Amino acid sequence: MSKIAFIGLGIMGSPMSVNLVKAGHDVVGYNPNPDRVKPLIDAGGTSAGSSAEAVKDADIIAVMVPDSPDVQDVLAGEGGVFDSAKQGALIIDFSSIRPDVTVELAKQAQEKGFRLLDAPVSGGQAGAVNAALSIMVGGDAKDFAEAKDVFDAVGKTVVHVGPSGSGQTVKAANQLIVAANIQALSEAVIFLEAYGVDTKAALEVLGGGLAGSKVLDQKKENMLSRSFEPGFRIELHHKDMGIVTAAAREAGVVVPLGSLVAQLMASAKAVGDGGLDHSGLLRGVERLSGRKSD
């Protein structure tokens, strides 16, 4: 099995690193907050004091950090992966970032003797914990095949979708669909409650028809109980919707619904809901309907 360095042990990265250990890989992790390394250590992995220390002997380097500047810093920053890893190492970036940034980083990686796959994930914290993530992978097909054992340890649906940047493009489309679904579900819940319907029963029957979706299945309890413990934070989905709208503009296509949902996501962040799960968009519908409850 591979020697893997895992940089970024947050809500998603921590359970992913643990699942890699469970699959038999030798995993060393690094996170700026050392407390986040404990689950990996408890599972049998090890910790490093810096990303440079983590990657120095690694065959595969996994990255899961919040945004494009973070990935750029981890890979191309002073003392980063490009400066510290051994030649030929395979870098798998599980982060969700701008496609154009991925393309540029892939070029830099190749020039410096590395290989880079962009492999953003979907499925939230539950998918990460249960090794059931959907993973959309961009990059060289041979590198994708080489990473199969890694992907199989953390994901359930893993698809090579094209050259570098393609994974990030597909992830942007994923975030557009998910955001629109969450907003529609939020509106439906408030609509049903306004009429005094047994909302739980209503969502059960809706879930069995054409209105059913994984968003409904996974987020209905959050909305019914008004419990928005983050599985995927609004502030991160806000970032992703910025990627969607910018990439759409660059491609010369229109995303009218996506642009509207992006504004609603921005509003949620602006009023202080950024740290909540993205199902917390429900609170925005409550506010607009004059039904807000804190």
Side-chain angles (χ1 to χ4, degrees):
M1 290 294 177
S2 303
K3 184 175 181 61
I4 301 172
F6 206 112
I7 301 173
L9 302 173
I11 288 175
M12 300 293 288
S14 177
M16 290 171 70
S17 70
V18 168
N19 284 328
L20 286 168
V21 173
K22 290 179 179 178
H25 296 285
D26 180 4
V27 183
V28 54
Y30 170 71
N31 197 78
N33 179 353
D35 293 340
R36 299 310 302 259
V37 185
K38 187 177 185 302
L40 174 61
I41 295 173
D42 290 345
T46 56
S47 66
S50 66
S51 60
E53 180 185 340
V55 306
K56 64 179 182 179
D57 297 318
D59 306 305
I60 295 175
I61 298 159
V63 179
M64 178 56 106
V65 293
D67 203 351
S68 301
D70 303 300
V71 177
Q72 290 172 311
D73 184 56
V74 166
L75 297 185
E78 184 177 353
V81 172
F82 292 162
D83 287 345
S84 307
K86 63 183 182 182
Q87 291 287 296
L90 176 60
I91 304 165
I92 304 174
D93 181 22
F94 288 113
S95 315
S96 295
I97 66 171
R98 287 166 37 195
D100 60 321
V101 171
T102 285
V103 171
E104 177 57 33
L105 287 171
K107 290 179 182 177
Q108 293 180 33
Q110 186 175 30
E111 290 169 357
K112 294 178 178 294
F114 303 105
R115 298 163 294 149
L116 176 64
L117 294 172
D118 52 297
V121 306
S122 178
Q125 183 180 22
V129 171
N130 297 319
L133 294 167
S134 289
I135 309 176
M136 44 228 81
V137 187
D140 187 86
K142 291 182 180 178
D143 295 334
F144 172 73
E146 182 180 326
K148 183 178 186 302
D149 288 344
V150 173
F151 291 135
D152 287 348
V154 297
K156 184 177 181 181
T157 303
V158 184
V159 181
H160 182 237
V161 295
S164 292
S166 299
Q168 299 296 351
T169 302
V170 175
K171 178 59 186 291
N174 178 88
Q175 296 303 80
L176 167 58
I177 294 168
V178 171
N181 271 265
I182 290 175
Q183 180 64 25
L185 178 59
S186 298
E187 293 178 15
V189 167
I190 299 303
F191 172 75
L192 291 166
E193 290 179 346
Y195 276 92
V197 173
D198 182 337
T199 310
K200 184 173 183 178
L203 294 181
E204 181 180 353
V205 70
L206 290 172
L210 191 58
S213 68
K214 289 187 177 180
V215 165
L216 193 157
D217 292 341
Q218 294 183 21
K219 301 301 180 180
K220 62 183 179 182
E221 292 301 328
N222 297 51
M223 294 185 181
L224 289 171
S225 66
R226 303 305 200 263
S227 175
F228 302 116
E229 185 71 20
F232 188 77
R233 298 191 303 277
I234 282 173
E235 61 192 4
L236 291 178
H237 211 142
H238 165 67
K239 176 263 297 184
D240 290 344
M241 293 309 296
I243 292 172
V244 170
T245 53
R249 183 173 62 250
E250 290 169 9
V253 299
V254 298
V255 285
L257 180 57
S259 297
L260 173 58
V261 179
Q263 291 298 310
L264 294 169
M265 201 74 73
S267 174
K269 180 176 181 292
V271 298
D273 285 351
L276 301 181
D277 185 77
H278 49 180
S279 56
L281 281 181
L282 177 84
R283 288 165 55 87
V285 182
E286 286 183 318
R287 284 188 287 266
L288 290 170
S289 301
R291 294 173 174 268
K292 183 176 183 294
S293 58
D294 292 323

